[in-house]
Amino acid sequence: MTDRVKTETDLIQTYLAPLAAGAPGAFGLMDDAALILPEPGTDIVITTDPVRAGVHFFETDRADDIAWKALAVNVSDLAAKGARPLAYTMALAFPEAPERSWMQSFADGLRAAQTEFGCHLIGGDTDHASGSLSIAITAFGSVPHGRMVQRTTAKAGDHLFVTGTLGDAALGLALHRDAALLSRELTSGDRAFLAGRYLRPSPRLALRPLLLSAASASLDISDGLLKDLGRMAAAARAGVKIRFEVLPLSPSARHMIEAEPSFADQIVAGGDDYEILFAVPPDRLQLLRSGASAVPVQITEIGRLERGGGVGLLDGEGQAMHIGSSGYDHFG
């Protein structure tokens, strides 16, 4: 007989309340609300990015991986704003009462993620709803007063940078959907690396000092480089042309593209990267370069915003590349 959670109180107090330990404003998840006390001279940054089974993850994924991703995608938004994570609330909607083993694994994944990111659960809600599992997290972060890095404040002439490597998660998703895909061409190491990048994003919190000192605008790449770059460029009333060859790719991504060139589209349009795209004005480039060596993440310049409009992708010979998708869209 399946051992399922019996009551909402049981679920909260057994599996979620321990995640609030160490957060005074959480009140052990015994109240209907929580408190966040901002440090003097800081602003609170708030972001919400829900995930849902069948859209953002597979129902068959491990519960700890689902939990990690649910929190990581929200913390990634904080990272792009130059914010330090403080706390989060979570609303869970289950199609049926979860099994205790699943819930314990989910709580373990959240504990690992919040420990890594430096925040605590402070409240939320649980519900029974038809459809698939839904996890809605709202994350709270802290930035020095008036210094949150927005995504709409770049200008023509700014240099563009990205963290890490691009396309890994989208390629990992393709392999996750079809375990036999390119079975002869990819090593087990390639497959494990790409799957890990899809299942467990790594918010680039270490970039915070550089963003606060040098960036004019920033956002995390969740819907694909071209789409998110288009958002930044449009707000700046600028355009940009990017050469595919300058984009940072992992060895595993290169192996996959060499085996099947059509997967190049996923590098720029696949989404789920959760790397940071940011703009730096010419007069702050030295600030960036002097501080980059202290940041434990790869930083690559990919282009420059120019007067005009539109986003173009060029091949090694400077010719326009045709990409089948402009990026992820919930309603596309």
Side-chain angles (χ1 to χ4, degrees):
M1 181 176 179
T2 302
D3 185 16
R4 295 187 180 275
V5 174
K6 297 297 189 292
T7 67
E8 182 178 21
T9 299
D10 177 19
L11 188 151
I12 293 171
Q13 291 304 310
T14 302
Y15 302 103
L16 301 181
L19 301 175
F27 307 115
L29 303 190
M30 296 292 289
D31 210 308
D32 292 327
L35 284 176
I36 296 177
L37 182 64
E39 297 174 358
T42 66
D43 297 329
I44 297 295
V45 180
I46 306 168
T47 185
T48 299
D49 204 347
V51 297
R52 188 177 182 90
V55 179
H56 305 93
F57 60 88
F58 292 84
E59 291 184 356
T60 54
D61 286 346
R62 284 174 25 177
D64 56 340
D65 286 336
I66 294 170
W68 177 287
K69 187 170 190 176
L71 183 54
V73 301
N74 283 275
V75 170
S76 181
D77 279 328
L78 294 181
K81 303 301 100 186
R84 177 173 65 87
L86 296 176
Y88 65 99
T89 61
M90 178 175 63
L92 291 170
F94 293 100
E96 60 181 339
E99 295 180 10
R100 289 188 179 278
S101 60
W102 188 97
M103 198 63 218
Q104 185 60 62
S105 177
F106 184 82
D108 290 344
L110 276 180
R111 182 178 293 103
Q114 69 178 38
T115 299
E116 178 74 15
F117 308 149
C119 55
H120 288 88
L121 178 67
I122 60 170
D125 196 15
T126 59
D127 195 9
H128 174 239
S130 60
S132 54
L133 170 64
S134 174
I135 308 162
I137 284 179
T138 297
F140 303 85
S142 171
V143 293
H145 177 62
R147 293 180 60 192
M148 186 187 87
V149 186
Q150 300 177 52
R151 80 179 189 184
T152 59
T153 44
K155 297 184 183 302
D158 287 359
H159 295 250
L160 298 170
F161 297 83
V162 294
T163 60
T165 55
L166 303 178
D168 296 325
L171 298 178
L173 172 58
L175 295 173
H176 203 49
R177 283 176 170 153
D178 182 359
L181 182 66
L182 300 178
S183 58
R184 295 183 179 179
E185 292 85 352
L186 298 179
T187 67
S188 58
D190 288 333
R191 304 179 82 86
F193 173 80
L194 295 173
R197 290 274 282 157
Y198 166 68
L199 292 168
R200 295 210 172 199
S202 298
R204 300 307 189 182
L205 293 167
L207 199 67
R208 181 172 184 257
L210 279 184
L211 291 179
L212 292 175
S213 65
S216 60
S218 173
L219 74 161
D220 74 337
I221 304 171
S222 57
D223 294 329
L225 174 67
L226 292 184
K227 186 164 189 174
D228 288 321
L229 181 54
R231 290 165 169 155
M232 181 180 285
R237 297 183 179 178
V240 61
K241 287 184 170 56
I242 302 293
R243 287 184 176 270
F244 187 87
E245 63 189 18
V246 308
L247 299 180
L249 305 184
S250 67
S252 296
R254 290 190 186 279
H255 294 162
M256 192 161 175
I257 294 172
E258 288 166 2
E260 179 47 71
S262 65
F263 279 110
D265 283 20
Q266 299 300 307
I267 301 298
V268 294
D272 262 357
D273 279 323
Y274 300 105
E275 297 292 351
I276 294 180
L277 165 68
F278 62 104
V280 177
D283 61 356
R284 295 189 210 163
L285 284 176
Q286 188 52 46
L287 277 174
L288 175 74
R289 289 168 180 151
S290 62
S293 61
V295 176
V297 61
Q298 177 180 337
I299 298 173
T300 304
E301 183 170 0
I302 62 169
R304 189 173 183 179
L305 291 172
E306 305 289 352
R307 294 189 182 280
V311 174
L313 184 68
L314 307 178
D315 63 20
E317 309 209 334
Q319 300 300 309
M321 292 177 63
H322 173 72
I323 301 297
S325 169
S326 61
Y328 182 78
D329 190 303
H330 284 284
F331 301 104

